[in-house]
Amino acid sequence: MRIAIAEAWKGCGFTNPNPMVGCVIVKNGVIIGKGFHKKYGDLHAERNALASCTESPEGATVYVTLEPCCHWGRTPPCTDALIESKVVRVVSGSRDPNPLVSGKSGEILKKAGIKTETGILKEECDALNEAFFHYITCGTPFVILKYAMTADGKTATVSGKSKWITGEKARSRVHFDRHRYGAVMAGVGTVLTDDPMLTCRFENPCDGSYPETEKISQPLRIICDTGLNTPLSSKIVKTAGDFPTLIATGISDPEKTKPFTDAGCRVLSLPEKDDKIDMQVLMKKLGEMKIDSVIIEGGPTLAWSALAAGIVNKTNIYLAPKIFGGTGKSGVAGTGVFSPDEAFMLSEPKVTDFEGDLLLESRVIYPEKRKQE
């Protein structure tokens, strides 16, 4: 199964909004085939593994990171291929939350005389597809709030400078995540201050935790700009013809949006809430566009808006071993909470060391959920 997990990672960044899946076929204690889901719309891992077999898979055991599909989508059911190949056992890691699949494939395989087992290395297999699991059950993107700060909680110096808080290793991981997830989001304030590209740029995304990737998948760049104040001269707009770009705004006047669409941007006019883009409506629209995941990299104002709207599922906070002091910005601004028991709590922490810079990955627990519990 660990080999199957390594196979699944090879599809990272290319399968969205489908899951990453790896498959290994074993016969008489020898691996005779392996494969992975290479890209959205392509054959699934099981069929690729069967096609790679060095001998007949009849009588073999199949190890697959996710429960095999049993319905027609862009590709035919994998259960059909497994039955036709006359394998005798299928071992899976994760249960597919898709109601079209969940638990049903096992029943189909059992009726065909194939032994099934699930839950093998479940945590590792589940970690492959946290974004997919959220997207397929909620219909909205899995949202990660990312920012880097110093040991005293600053995201910039008193002069506003922030390049660079973290080192190259940590920044390489950020670019890998842009490759991995479907979209990267920033606010117009970040565009005005930093004029970023928000593209995925790396020579080698591998930090030892992920496999090397020959190609790069560019995320959809999303700018939240209520008043449509993004400069036409900004890098985001000037490169919109080369990289997918969406501007979410409260402006619907065609005369004001036309210069942006002419430059290659997609302009999405949305309702406002508290004089800001309604983030929940934006997430629903992105889900309809098959955007399964979003990294928010847009500064303290957007960070607060996202948390206040309840759309953040996970935080990626980089902590650098530096102290700026003074009155520099923090990672989250906004009105803030009035009492400690109203805080957004972070759970299930995972810490990764990038040559001294620490990445803290956590799940977000909202105050109202804690009250229900």
Side-chain angles (χ1 to χ4, degrees), residues 173-196:
R173 166 59 190 264
V174 171
H175 283 279
F176 179 81
D177 283 343
R178 289 181 184 178
H179 160 81
R180 177 181 179 181
Y181 297 113
V184 58
M185 180 185 293
V188 65
T190 296
V191 176
L192 295 172
T193 302
D194 298 333
D195 195 20

Side-chain angles (χ1 to χ4, degrees), residues 107-171:
E107 296 176 4
I108 292 171
L109 294 173
K110 287 178 183 177
K111 287 182 180 179
I114 298 174
K115 296 179 181 179
T116 63
E117 188 175 352
T118 190
I120 306 304
L121 295 185
K122 182 179 184 300
E123 288 188 8
E124 292 92 328
C125 291
D126 286 354
L128 285 167
N129 293 305
E130 60 180 355
F132 168 76
F133 290 163
H134 173 87
Y135 172 74
I136 204 66
T137 54
C138 300
T140 55
F142 182 79
V143 178
I144 305 103
L145 172 61
K146 168 262 170 184
Y147 59 88
M149 67 180 184
T150 60
D152 58 334
K154 301 297 190 297
T155 60
T157 65
V158 291
S159 65
K161 295 181 179 179
S162 60
K163 294 183 179 180
W164 295 104
I165 291 175
T166 56
E168 290 185 7
K169 273 283 187 179
R171 298 201 301 273

Side-chain angles (χ1 to χ4, degrees), residues 164-244:
W164 295 104
I165 291 175
T166 56
E168 290 185 7
K169 273 283 187 179
R171 298 201 301 273
S172 179
R173 166 59 190 264
V174 171
H175 283 279
F176 179 81
D177 283 343
R178 289 181 184 178
H179 160 81
R180 177 181 179 181
Y181 297 113
V184 58
M185 180 185 293
V188 65
T190 296
V191 176
L192 295 172
T193 302
D194 298 333
D195 195 20
M197 282 284 289
L198 299 180
T199 52
C200 176
R201 305 180 301 279
F202 52 62
E203 293 182 2
N204 180 5
C206 188
D207 63 5
S209 302
Y210 303 98
E212 293 188 14
T213 303
E214 294 182 0
K215 299 177 181 178
I216 294 174
S217 176
Q218 292 293 348
L220 170 68
R221 303 180 301 179
I222 303 171
I223 304 301
C224 290
D225 182 2
T226 308
L228 202 56
N229 295 312
T230 298
L232 294 173
S233 60
S234 64
K235 292 177 182 177
I236 286 287
V237 176
K238 292 180 72 174
T239 60
D242 300 316
F243 303 103

Side-chain angles (χ1 to χ4, degrees), residues 130 134 142-147 296 303 306-317 332 342-349 360-370 373:
E130 60 180 355
H134 173 87
F142 182 79
V143 178
I144 305 103
L145 172 61
K146 168 262 170 184
Y147 59 88
I296 297 177
L307 285 167
I311 66 168
V312 179
N313 304 107
K314 181 179 179 180
T315 58
N316 279 12
I317 302 172
V332 181
E342 297 175 341
F344 301 95
M345 298 299 292
L346 304 182
S347 68
E348 303 176 39
L360 174 62
E361 300 176 76
S362 305
R363 293 282 183 157
V364 179
I365 301 179
Y366 289 88
E368 57 270 23
K369 185 175 181 181
R370 294 204 309 275
E373 294 175 347

